[in-house]
Amino acid sequence: LLAKDSSMALRAGFPPPGSTIICLAALQSVAGWNVPVQRASRSICSRLNAEELPRASSLVSDPCWRAEGLAAIDEHNEDLCATLDELRAQSYFRFYSVDLLKGCNYFPQSEDECVSTCELYPSEEEDIPSAIKKVDASEHEFELDAWVRWDMPSDDYYDIYENREQFTAYDGSKIWKFIHEKICFPTSGYSAGLGSTEGEVWQRDFNRAVSGLHSSISAHIVQGMLEKKESGGEEAEGVPVVDVEYERRLGRTGENAMAIDHLYFGYMLMACAVREAAPRLRATDFGVDACGEADGVKELVEQVLANPILNDPGVGVAEKNLRRHALEGAGSQLWQARLRTRDLLRVMDCVQCNLCRLHGKVGSLGIATAMSVLLGAEGRGGDSSRLHRVEVAALLTTLGKFANAILIVSEFEARRPRQMTL
């Protein structure tokens, strides 16, 4: 099957046009799965038994994924997710100075789009370690053509761990439509999503990473819907049918049939970027942990860096292909991707739900930081020692978001045979 029109398509990392790819893992019956649905805790990874769930990787349809990379994620993602969740509870990774009063510079808006569940208040000043404020204030400078441009630090810090991603009933479809149609590279010169030349593949890589972020956010939203449904009472009123929303947002017959593929692609890039940033992480003073231990945070960081996912050759293929495509195709055009990551960060100011805006900005910062580390200015990789505190924090936080999203997808796939009508 792969022989037909395979030359260009396989170099692009996609199935050949006109061919049919059968993933044996996807054919495995899940009719026997019957996983009890429990009330979600602060992190889904803290309560799942990986052996009880069908693997989300069985849904990955791209034949060029390295099987060992997917196997490493299946085997070790739960442990990594738990460590990252504990890490994200530490002050260094949970507090961000964000300007939530910025206006939208991309299209007109109405205040009617705001919803009451999106209200968010700054953390108390005494809760913010003075060392964090001092570092952020000293790292306000930026390069004009960099991958990242973050908000100027102020006295308003927001706690992303205390204010977790959830379902708020805010409709962000207008924002994502703009992102996919305007910020992502245009697809008019593509056939079925395939780069027609090697020079276009790097643009596809960028689009897939952004789509992966969208998938991660969608997974957390659907999980939030399920939590509200299970809580019953007023919180359950007005919540859409959960399984229908899951299929629409992440399913093969939904709005993006490649949503889960892109989730894995983004996860692999984030994991590779964290590995590449290891020197910066090991040289960082994270301050004391939540228990007052001086080395507690560093120990958690070392656990993350030691996780087999970060060092798996199959996972590393995503990074190698990203760089190869950038060097072979982008050349002097990589500035177009840097421009788009900056636009991705700025368009989040159009989100009129403050909780959603906070998480959208941090997730976008994580993706932009990963691109900065993996590609740098010319596609050969960046200097992680120059990363700012917020970039380091967002890099680990966003990896945690992707890891958690994959566990959410696995749980929802386990629910399918039960034909729930929540």
Side-chain angles (χ1 to χ4, degrees):
L1 293 174
L2 291 177
K4 184 178 181 181
D5 298 325
S6 63
S7 177
M8 185 57 65
L10 288 181
R11 286 205 304 274
F14 271 73
S19 67
T20 303
I21 305 302
I22 301 176
C23 179
L24 294 179
L27 296 179
Q28 293 177 344
S29 171
V30 293
W33 291 106
N34 185 16
V35 181
V37 178
Q38 307 173 28
R39 178 66 184 273
S41 61
R42 292 186 62 83
S43 172
I44 192 173
C45 61
S46 63
R47 63 176 175 78
L48 293 181
N49 182 347
E51 295 182 356
E52 294 179 346
L53 295 178
R55 303 303 192 183
S57 63
S58 68
L59 303 174
V60 175
S61 61
D62 192 329
C64 294
W65 289 115
R66 290 285 293 273
E68 59 266 36
L70 296 176
I73 292 175
D74 285 342
E75 182 176 357
H76 302 288
N77 183 54
E78 186 178 9
D79 290 338
L80 179 58
C81 184
T83 304
L84 286 165
D85 193 62
E86 189 175 354
L87 188 66
R88 291 160 61 191
Q90 312 304 320
S91 297
Y92 188 95
F93 298 94
R94 66 190 294 175
F95 292 114
Y96 297 83
S97 180
V98 181
D99 186 353
L100 296 182
L101 299 178
K102 276 186 178 179
C104 176
N105 294 323
Y106 294 92
F107 41 78
Q109 293 184 298
S110 168
E111 293 184 1
D112 295 338
E113 298 178 37
C114 302
V115 292
S116 59
T117 52
C118 292
E119 293 181 1
L120 194 63
Y121 300 98
S123 300
E124 297 295 332
E125 185 175 357
E126 57 268 21
D127 293 336
I128 314 300
S130 58
I132 287 180
K133 293 192 288 186
K134 183 177 180 180
V135 169
D136 288 352
S138 68
E139 294 180 337
H140 66 278
E141 295 184 355
F142 58 88
E143 297 180 9
L144 289 177
D145 190 28
W147 290 91
V148 173
R149 190 174 303 168
W150 188 243
D151 295 343
M152 288 292 107
S154 69
D155 292 333
D156 290 340
Y157 276 78
Y158 296 87
D159 187 339
I160 199 171
Y161 187 78
E162 184 66 28
N163 300 288
R164 288 286 184 122
E165 282 181 295
Q166 58 181 283
F167 171 64
T168 64
Y170 172 74
D171 182 4
S173 58
K174 182 178 180 180
I175 308 296
W176 282 112
K177 184 175 187 293
F178 183 89
I179 290 172
H180 291 303
E181 292 183 355
K182 301 294 185 181
I183 294 180
C184 288
F185 287 96
T187 58
S188 58
Y190 293 62
S191 173
L194 304 179
S196 58
T197 69
E198 196 61 35
E200 293 175 340
V201 181
W202 65 277
Q203 298 177 346
R204 172 183 59 80
D205 290 340
F206 178 90
N207 291 357
R208 289 203 300 172
V210 174
S211 178
L213 175 64
H214 190 180
S215 298
S216 173
I217 292 173
S218 293
H220 287 90
I221 290 174
V222 175
Q223 178 65 23
M225 291 179 183
L226 178 61
E227 292 175 14
K228 288 187 181 294
K229 280 285 191 180
E230 292 181 335
S231 68
E234 294 183 1
E235 285 197 353
E237 295 180 4
V239 177
V241 178
V242 180
D243 290 341
V244 173
E245 278 297 302
Y246 172 81
E247 186 61 33
R248 179 178 74 84
R249 294 169 181 266
L250 294 163
R252 288 294 180 201
T253 61
E255 296 174 348
N256 180 7
M258 301 294 288
I260 294 177
D261 292 66
H262 296 166
L263 177 65
Y264 270 87
F265 179 74
Y267 182 23
M268 290 178 176
L269 290 186
M270 295 304 305
C272 292
V274 170
R275 186 200 66 235
E276 290 295 297
R280 171 67 167 90
L281 294 172
R282 290 185 169 123
T284 299
D285 180 8
F286 297 105
V288 299
D289 64 12
C291 299
E293 297 293 332
D295 297 326
V297 182
K298 279 188 173 292
E299 291 176 0
L300 289 172
V301 170
E302 287 297 333
Q303 290 180 34
V304 171
L305 295 175
N307 188 283
I309 292 176
L310 273 67
N311 302 291
D312 184 84
V315 173
V317 167
E319 172 193 1
K320 292 179 180 178
N321 286 343
L322 179 73
R323 284 180 175 163
R324 179 172 61 86
H325 295 159
L327 289 171
E328 293 177 358
S332 61
Q333 303 302 308
L334 200 57
W335 64 268
Q336 297 179 24
R338 295 194 295 273
L339 175 65
R340 282 165 165 79
T341 56
R342 298 196 300 271
D343 274 320
L344 179 63
L345 279 162
R346 284 197 294 267
V347 79
M348 291 299 167
D349 292 325
C350 299
V351 177
Q352 291 188 283
C353 164
N354 282 342
L355 179 63
C356 307
R357 180 187 293 202
L358 174 64
H359 282 277
K361 286 173 76 79
V362 172
S364 299
L365 178 60
I367 289 289
T369 302
M371 291 288 185
S372 172
V373 171
L374 296 176
L375 294 178
E378 300 178 352
R380 295 179 173 83
D383 182 3
S384 65
S385 67
R386 302 179 63 185
L387 293 180
H388 291 177
R389 197 278 307 183
V390 291
E391 295 166 0
V392 172
L395 186 66
L396 272 297
T397 295
T398 306
L399 176 61
K401 289 176 179 291
F402 274 85
N404 201 41
I406 285 178
L407 288 180
I408 292 172
V409 169
S410 294
E411 184 176 65
F412 269 90
E413 289 302 314
R415 293 162 51 83
R416 281 183 182 275
R418 305 178 70 212
Q419 297 181 350
M420 298 182 64
T421 58
L422 284 179

